[in-house]
Amino acid sequence: MTPPTSISPRPGLRRRGRIVLSAALAAALGITVASVTTSASAADIPLSQGKPATASSVESAAFPASNAVDGNAGTRWSSTFADPQWLQVDLGSTQTISQVVLNWEAAYASAFTIQTSANGTSWTNISPVTTGQSGVQTLNVTGSGRYVRMNGTTRATPYGYSLWEFQVFGTSTTPTIPTSDTPDFGSNVRIFEPGTAASTIQSAVDSAFNAQLRSPTAQFGGQRHVFLFKPGTYGRVWANVGFYTTIAGLGINPDDVTINGAVNVDSGWNYGDESNATQNFWRSMENLSIVPEGGTNRWAVSQAAPMRRVHIKGNLTLAPSNQDNGQGYSSGGYLADSVVDGVVSSGSQQQWYTRDSRIARWDGGVWNMVYSGVQGAPANAFPNPPHTTLATTPVTREKPYLYVDSAGLYRVFVPAIRRNSAGATWPNTAGTSIPMREFYVAKPGDTAARINQALAQGLNLFFTPGTYTLNDTIRVTRANTVVTGIGFPTLIPSGGVEALNVADVDGVKVSGLTFDAGTTNSPTLMSVGRAGVHTDHAANPISLQDVFFRIGSSVQGKATTTLAVHADDTIIDHIWAWRADHGGAPTGWAVNTGDTGLIVNGDDVLATGLFVEHYQKYEVIWNGNRGKTIFFQNEKPYDVPNQAAWIGPRGNGYAAYKVADAVTDHQLWGGGSYCYFNVNPSVRVDRAFEVPNRAGVQLRSVLTVSLGDVGTIANVVNDTGGAVPNPAGNTTPRKVVAYP
């Protein structure tokens, strides 16, 4: 949003003329009154932007304190209509303060001071009592402190105190964080070259896999393994891929790295569930080519196991090797920006989403196979056979990826936006290459303060594998910032803070991160944009890719909402928000609590590959207009204790996918919701999808399933579709081709 050149008065508030100060008085107070932002000296830097801000009060939730330090002159903080009031910012450490710039709304202070504090309790004035002015006001000051606040004692209007921006400038006493184009990625990352003996590579991947084979702790363990392959051709490597393991190439294109053998995922590995692949989570493969031994590569995975930017020079099967034995289930997966020269066989996969790829042919389909922008995909035929096919994807931006250039320096390539796209982006992927010296390479043990310092320095973030405990929110406030990770780096908030907050700015890219809720309830784990703000980001959207959330894992976590998307035009490309039905720590209805996996308040938001499961109320709430979802997979919470504990606003239980009553335009293609109320099979939910009944809200190819006939979903959409279980049989879906 363009900063306002004039500000409309509130209803009933007459706009005052500009206050005129004598030259002598202005000089004495060190005040400049201007109609445009006044820059600090070249030696000073903005210390306040994106830092934690608090206030004595807020007029409403639409005007939080954080709006005054978000770098966006179209959002503001506003207090209640009383004196006195204050707004303060925490700079993170003691800084030398030289200038404060206040961008007042029409409701300003007729008397205020600027104060600093070392502890947020004892305050020192660093300005005299000052008269405010609607517009931009610059105060040259001298002082130091960790906390800086505007302390308003008298209002100039009947309304509250209201600031578009509160900027603190000074000289940072924090040393600049060093960076490198050849960083140390840590001990969890192994990098191979074409000259590396095949036996060395095989030993490394076997060691990582065998340590977790049928292990009772591996699924929620702390182990993290990344195997990176520099450009070239590699002899026979058979890489079994377990939990928290990534296999990736370091070329600019997938064909720059060729592995002969397999990158293999099968059933029989997971302790206590060896008979199927439904818990093959948290593993990935990207940016390489495979010449599969025997002609077929196996990738039998379920959620949070993406395959991106891969060239299979043969066939690909997505089912486990025991699928013909009446077991061997697999459920849900994601493939994008890839080429399969041969046949893709989905086998026992119940649902699967493939986006912007090229295949020779697709065989199979259980409940719902979904394709958008896939060259060679089957024709749209849902429900028989169960293929939901869109010729193109409305908007895509492929995930950023790490590569090494011809000089041996590391870089991150950020693919460009595509519209109405189909087929893989490579070779010749359009986009931008960023040298690693422009990234802070985070390692386990880094604090939120250190990470925020790197962001304040203007760096992007690259998380290496491991676990990060955060006692404060990571705040991304600069447009086009890249926040990415490899090897499932896991962020755990402590004390109920939000783990990651993205400001309402253009082009931020967040990818490759896992979030575990902490033991103290967090209102949200991650938010994007600002509630109530609708800035147009259509030309350069914020994007989220391969971002996974867990409420319960090795931690008995709690979070009211997992992900809140306020920003318009956001792209949500493959997330799994999961309230755990099992974990390394005990789980249960009153233990790992979570209301909602995803709330979308932004307009024109697109979700491609949306997995949200087991939350206790509405699992997805879509409040924004013109939203689109291509592929949705859901399981209702297993552990509802009884019907009385689960009554929603419109009857029994809560729908999995709720489109708000005020929404006039929304589309979903390819959605499934399952129930398995094993704690109390008498529990029922009245509907899986709840939407306003109007022509502009359209659902295509949606279904419900009662797994093993355990529990009831009474209808698919609103009062349409009929109940599962079907009277005729076990685990037979109900399907709705189109609604309305």
Side-chain angles (χ1 to χ4, degrees):
M1 179 181 291
T2 304
T5 55
S6 64
I7 304 169
S8 299
R10 300 165 187 260
L13 175 60
R14 185 175 180 83
R15 178 74 182 275
R16 289 192 175 191
R18 178 169 297 168
I19 295 174
V20 179
L21 299 176
S22 71
L25 179 59
L29 297 181
I31 299 172
T32 302
V33 178
S35 60
V36 296
T37 300
T38 303
S39 299
S41 67
D44 292 340
I45 61 173
L47 303 174
S48 53
Q49 187 166 319
K51 297 297 174 60
T54 53
S56 53
S57 68
V58 294
E59 180 183 346
S60 74
F63 307 110
S66 57
N67 281 357
V69 295
D70 64 1
N72 183 352
T75 64
R76 63 185 173 92
W77 161 72
S78 182
S79 76
T80 55
F81 305 166
D83 293 317
Q85 302 288 341
W86 51 262
L87 171 80
Q88 74 181 44
V89 60
D90 178 2
L91 304 180
S93 61
T94 298
Q95 309 291 337
T96 300
I97 313 303
S98 60
Q99 191 177 84
V100 175
V101 178
L102 305 99
N103 187 352
W104 291 101
E105 197 234 6
Y108 57 93
S110 61
F112 72 96
T113 56
I114 301 299
Q115 301 176 320
T116 60
S117 173
N119 54 18
T121 303
S122 302
W123 296 92
T124 300
N125 289 348
I126 61 171
S127 80
V129 176
T130 304
T131 300
Q133 166 65 47
S134 178
V136 177
Q137 184 174 22
T138 300
L139 280 67
N140 296 315
V141 297
T142 300
S144 64
R146 171 174 173 171
Y147 301 88
V148 182
R149 81 175 179 180
M150 183 285 299
N151 189 45
T153 52
T154 308
R155 291 167 292 143
T157 75
Y159 297 90
Y161 298 80
S162 184
L163 282 164
W164 297 102
E165 285 294 300
F166 180 63
Q167 295 176 299
V168 178
F169 291 87
T171 304
S172 175
T173 59
T174 306
T176 299
I177 297 175
T179 62
S180 172
D181 284 333
T182 55
D184 174 15
F185 294 111
S187 59
N188 293 326
V189 178
R190 291 285 303 272
I191 301 174
F192 302 121
E193 299 180 351
T196 306
S199 60
T200 299
I201 299 172
Q202 191 65 54
S203 176
V205 296
D206 285 349
S207 177
F209 177 74
N210 291 336
Q212 55 178 289
L213 181 60
R214 299 185 181 87
S215 164
T217 60
Q219 184 172 169
F220 299 98
Q223 79 281 0
R224 300 289 187 273
H225 302 287
V226 176
F227 299 105
L228 301 177
F229 292 79
K230 289 185 176 181
T233 300
Y234 293 81
R236 200 249 188 205
V237 174
W238 188 282
N240 288 320
V241 183
F243 291 110
Y244 314 107
T245 301
T246 294
I247 308 284
L250 287 172
I252 191 67
N253 287 307
D255 285 338
D256 294 342
V257 173
T258 299
I259 293 177
N260 289 278
V263 179
N264 183 59
V265 181
D266 203 349
S267 61
W269 301 348
N270 185 46
Y271 177 82
D273 192 28
E274 290 90 346
S275 64
N276 63 60
T278 57
Q279 294 185 52
N280 283 351
F281 312 141
W282 308 305
R283 61 203 76 198
S284 64
M285 169 170 52
E286 64 182 279
N287 198 36
L288 50 77
S289 65
I290 302 172
V291 179
E293 188 173 292
T296 299
N297 194 83
R298 187 180 304 278
W299 189 255
V301 298
S302 290
Q303 291 76 28
M307 181 188 297
R308 290 182 180 267
R309 204 173 169 82
V310 169
H311 187 184
I312 305 294
K313 297 180 177 180
N315 302 318
L316 174 66
T317 182
L318 305 175
S321 56
N322 69 330
Q323 68 168 343
D324 295 327
N325 299 327
Q327 303 173 32
Y329 302 114
S330 47
S331 179
Y334 175 92
L335 172 67
D337 198 23
S338 294
V339 173
V340 181
D341 291 343
V343 176
V344 182
S345 171
S346 57
S348 60
Q349 284 288 346
Q350 295 160 343
Q351 285 186 266
W352 186 279
Y353 178 48
T354 307
R355 182 183 61 71
D356 293 274
S357 296
R358 186 177 77 245
I359 63 176
R361 191 178 79 237
W362 188 284
D363 283 351
V366 177
W367 292 333
N368 207 347
M369 306 291 110
V370 181
Y371 320 83
S372 68
V374 178
Q375 297 164 342
N380 185 70
F382 185 89
N384 187 25
H387 300 303
T388 301
T389 304
L390 287 73
T392 61
T393 308
V395 185
T396 57
R397 176 192 280 136
E398 299 300 338
K399 178 184 173 185
Y401 62 92
L402 181 70
Y403 76 101
V404 62
D405 66 16
S406 58
L409 305 179
Y410 288 88
R411 307 177 72 90
V412 171
F413 194 87
V414 182
I417 285 283
R418 297 200 299 168
R419 301 184 190 278
N420 299 315
S421 56
T425 63
W426 49 272
N428 305 316
T429 305
T432 304
S433 178
I434 304 175
M436 283 302 296
R437 64 178 175 272
E438 296 182 18
F439 284 82
Y440 175 62
V441 177
K443 295 187 175 66
D446 279 346
T447 63
R450 175 77 167 177
I451 293 167
N452 281 325
Q453 179 191 346
L455 289 167
Q457 190 175 309
L459 296 174
N460 303 293
L461 296 179
F462 189 100
F463 285 87
T464 60
T467 299
Y468 299 75
T469 300
L470 306 173
N471 64 357
D472 196 3
T473 302
I474 298 172
R475 293 177 173 83
V476 180
T477 61
R478 180 174 55 87
N480 299 309
T481 300
V482 177
V483 179
T484 192
I486 56 173
F488 300 89
T490 304
L491 312 184
I492 306 176
S494 65
V497 303
E498 183 179 56
L500 180 64
N501 181 284
V502 177
D504 196 63
V505 295
D506 275 355
V508 174
K509 297 100 181 164
V510 179
S511 62
L513 300 180
T514 299
F515 295 79
D516 272 352
T519 54
T520 301
N521 185 75
S522 292
T524 56
L525 290 183
M526 177 180 175
S527 61
V528 178
R530 295 285 182 267
V533 176
H534 290 280
T535 305
D536 187 355
H537 298 294
N540 188 12
I542 298 167
S543 55
L544 315 180
Q545 296 159 310
D546 297 349
V547 178
F548 309 127
F549 303 90
R550 304 188 296 203
I551 311 295
S553 59
S554 57
V555 180
Q556 288 182 315
K558 299 175 176 65
T560 304
T561 299
T562 295
L563 171 63
V565 175
H566 307 296
D568 290 355
D569 308 293
T570 301
I571 300 170
I572 305 169
D573 181 39
H574 189 223
I575 70 164
W576 186 33
W578 184 62
R579 177 182 164 263
D581 59 282
H582 65 283
T587 59
W589 189 251
V591 178
N592 57 313
T593 54
D595 285 358
T596 300
L598 170 66
I599 295 178
V600 177
N601 293 322
D603 293 333
D604 302 294
V605 172
L606 171 67
T608 52
L610 182 58
F611 300 75
V612 183
E613 299 190 306
H614 306 312
Y615 287 82
Q616 294 171 296
K617 293 185 178 179
Y618 289 124
E619 306 200 48
V620 172
I621 301 173
W622 208 294
N623 296 314
N625 250 318
R626 298 178 301 279
K628 295 182 175 69
T629 295
I630 305 173
F631 185 91
F632 171 68
Q633 185 177 45
N634 166 264
E635 284 185 349
K636 302 305 299 169
Y638 292 177
D639 53 350
V640 182
N642 53 66
Q643 196 67 62
W646 204 47
I647 300 295
R650 295 187 176 176
N652 292 315
Y654 293 82
Y657 194 99
K658 165 70 174 176
V659 178
D661 293 348
V663 171
T664 59
D665 188 329
H666 185 90
Q667 296 181 73
L668 180 150
W669 296 268
S673 179
Y674 321 147
C675 72
Y676 184 69
F677 299 128
N678 63 324
V679 170
N680 188 336
S682 68
V683 168
R684 60 183 281 141
V685 58
D686 286 345
R687 61 197 63 85
F689 298 85
E690 186 175 297
V691 303
N693 189 15
R694 54 174 57 100
V697 179
Q698 301 175 343
L699 278 61
R700 301 291 182 264
S701 305
V702 292
L703 60 89
T704 57
V705 178
S706 178
L707 299 170
D709 289 358
V710 180
T712 301
I713 302 176
N715 273 296
V716 181
V717 185
N718 294 345
D719 298 323
T720 299
V724 289
N726 278 329
N730 183 45
T731 315
T732 302
R734 290 283 190 177
K735 301 177 181 180
V736 171
V737 176
Y739 184 92

